[in-house]
């Protein structure tokens, strides 16, 4: 049985799209955007102001979604049961 994965989709104003998800094999947060990986590696603050790091998994994804949304990015929370195939992925 394949478990659904949560994916944060970020749409940038110039048309680029980035994906951020939790890789079940390595249990690491992964993104399809190199620049975003460098930014997220520093950790992000959640609604309560607590600094959350990629090792926190789902909590980190929630904090990333909140931060990007608050900063005016077009973000969407999706679930997928299939593997996310991208040409390149970057571990956060």
């Amino acid at each position: 049985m394949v478990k659904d994965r949560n994916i944060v989709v970020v749409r940038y104003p110039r048309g680029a799209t980035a994906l951020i998800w939790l890789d079940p094999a390595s249990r690491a947060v992964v993104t399809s955007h190199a620049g975003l990986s460098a930014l997220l590696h520093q950790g992000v603050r959640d609604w309560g102001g607590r600094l959350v790091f990629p090792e926190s998994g789902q909590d980190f994804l929630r904090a990333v979604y909140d931060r990007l949304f608050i900063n005016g990015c077009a973000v969407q929370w999706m679930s997928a049961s299939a593997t996310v195939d991208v040409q390149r992925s970057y571990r956060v």
Side-chain angles (χ1 to χ4, degrees), residues 45-87:
R45 296 209 179 268
D46 63 7
W47 280 107
R50 181 178 61 106
L51 192 58
V52 183
F53 291 97
E55 297 81 29
S56 299
Q58 287 297 117
D59 290 339
F60 180 75
L61 282 181
R62 286 184 201 99
V64 167
Y65 178 92
D66 293 343
R67 175 181 176 171
L68 293 171
F69 178 77
I70 289 169
N71 287 332
C73 292
V75 291
Q76 185 175 5
W77 187 276
M78 299 180 70
S79 291
S81 57
T83 303
V84 177
D85 291 325
V86 294
Q87 278 188 314

